[in-house]
Amino acid sequence: MSLRSIRKKSIYRVRNPFKLRSTMEISLAHPALKAFMCGALSGTCSTLLFQPLDLIKTRLQTLQSSVQPGSVHVGMMRVLLNVVRTEKLTGLWKGVSPSFMRTIPGVGLYFSTYHSLKQHFFQEKHPGALGAVMLGGGARTVAGVLMLPVTVIKTRYECGRFRYESVTGALRSVCQTEGPAALYSGMMATLLRDVPFSGIYVMFYSQMKSNLPTEIHMSAFAPLANFGCGMVAGVSASLVTQPADVVKTLVQVNPPLRTIDAVRYIYLEHGLKGFLRGAVPRSLRRTLVAAMAWTVYEQMMAYIGLKS
């Protein structure tokens, strides 16, 4: 090897760090990664604000297996006051750590997948009703399956039956005592809840947004209009998927229980109204969380110059 070639290689190695930095900058500028970061930020805001509603919903649904028919009705306010009385005000944010661990990467994955699917299949076209359902459902399927273990731990934290010291400790305890498969308990019920919810939500949200006057889209009231569209879409999607949420919670806090057995148990013990337990706090939370997440996401995407 000649002296000249050796010098060339040496120069290349010196310059290579600059090339690596340039590659990293390109990677960080990737639209899917930007969508992930915007989604993660929106998930952080919504989780911190609305965690108490999620905890109350989980407690109401967990009572399903212990409250007998004919007993005194346990409502949202009774659960709220009981949590504050026995666990102090901070008890309303119990489970916020696993919620963050699930929501921040989960919402980021959801929006990055949604953005990638939309750019691949629709590009510059506006998706119709069916296309919106497929986009929302597809993005939720990816995020839901990947984040299910953390969802199981979050549900157990909130129900009050389990005394885990930390998220990692909870994951280790479940794997050692019940096996890794327990971390995927309720997967069918979770997907039956989340995929239709996301599909229905995106359909209503995108269709209502597309029918807004152009003047509103270009005005300072655009975020408020987006939030309003998200509220209507969230209520509709929450009510349709509420039964699956009740079943999912029961399965995840009772791992040996199969989805079909949980459905049978709820119906035999509490009738059809049992499938609506926790509907009010869940509808409030899912509606507000989804509306805020989409509003923050779209504002952030517009700020960095990407079409959401």
Side-chain angles (χ1 to χ4, degrees), residues 21-226:
R21 186 176 66 180
S22 177
T23 304
M24 290 178 64
E25 288 173 354
I26 292 171
S27 175
L28 289 173
H30 194 280
L33 184 56
K34 287 184 176 180
F36 180 93
M37 297 304 294
C38 292
L41 177 61
S42 68
T44 302
C45 298
S46 56
T47 298
L48 188 60
L49 284 173
F50 305 121
Q51 174 63 20
L53 288 172
D54 201 32
L55 181 132
I56 293 169
K57 181 269 300 183
T58 301
R59 293 286 175 94
L60 279 172
Q61 293 177 352
T62 306
L63 288 172
Q64 191 88 48
S65 58
S66 58
V67 176
Q68 298 299 317
S71 301
V72 177
H73 174 69
V74 180
M76 180 176 167
M77 288 305 300
R78 184 184 289 259
V79 172
L80 172 65
L81 293 174
N82 183 62
V83 171
V84 173
R85 184 170 58 251
T86 60
E87 303 173 46
K88 299 182 180 180
L89 188 64
T90 54
L92 292 172
W93 275 267
K94 188 173 185 178
V96 74
S97 295
S99 287
F100 275 139
M101 289 185 66
R102 183 197 68 161
T103 306
I104 295 173
V107 177
L109 278 170
Y110 173 81
F111 279 119
S112 61
T113 305
Y114 172 84
H115 181 79
S116 298
L117 290 173
K118 187 176 180 183
Q119 294 302 308
H120 180 75
F121 290 105
F122 294 96
Q123 296 175 354
E124 296 302 318
K125 296 187 300 181
H126 181 76
L130 182 59
V133 170
M134 298 302 291
L135 282 174
R140 179 52 60 194
T141 299
V142 173
V145 171
L146 291 176
M147 301 307 299
L148 186 60
V150 186
T151 303
V152 172
I153 297 302
K154 181 189 86 70
T155 303
R156 292 188 176 200
Y157 255 98
E158 292 171 352
C159 75
R161 290 185 184 178
F162 301 86
R163 294 291 181 264
Y164 298 129
E165 294 182 1
S166 66
V167 175
T168 54
L171 288 168
R172 185 166 53 250
S173 174
V174 172
C175 289
Q176 290 174 349
T177 59
E178 304 171 41
L183 293 173
Y184 287 88
S185 59
M187 182 169 71
M188 184 59 66
T190 300
L191 293 178
L192 286 174
R193 175 199 69 171
D194 288 349
V195 174
F197 176 91
S198 184
I200 294 168
Y201 183 93
V202 174
M203 179 189 70
F204 277 111
Y205 180 75
S206 61
Q207 296 304 303
M208 283 190 292
K209 259 195 68 182
S210 65
N211 289 322
L212 289 175
T214 308
E215 293 78 10
I216 293 180
H217 284 295
M218 304 301 293
S219 71
F221 295 102
L224 185 60
N226 292 343

Side-chain angles (χ1 to χ4, degrees), residues 4 18 128 156 168 198 229 286:
R4 182 176 293 181
F18 295 99
R156 292 188 176 200
T168 54
S198 184
C229 292
R286 287 303 296 265

Side-chain angles (χ1 to χ4, degrees), residues 38 41-43 45 290-302:
C38 292
L41 177 61
S42 68
C45 298
M292 172 171 281
W294 274 89
T295 301
V296 173
Y297 167 74
E298 294 203 324
Q299 290 302 115
M300 287 297 297
M301 290 289 278

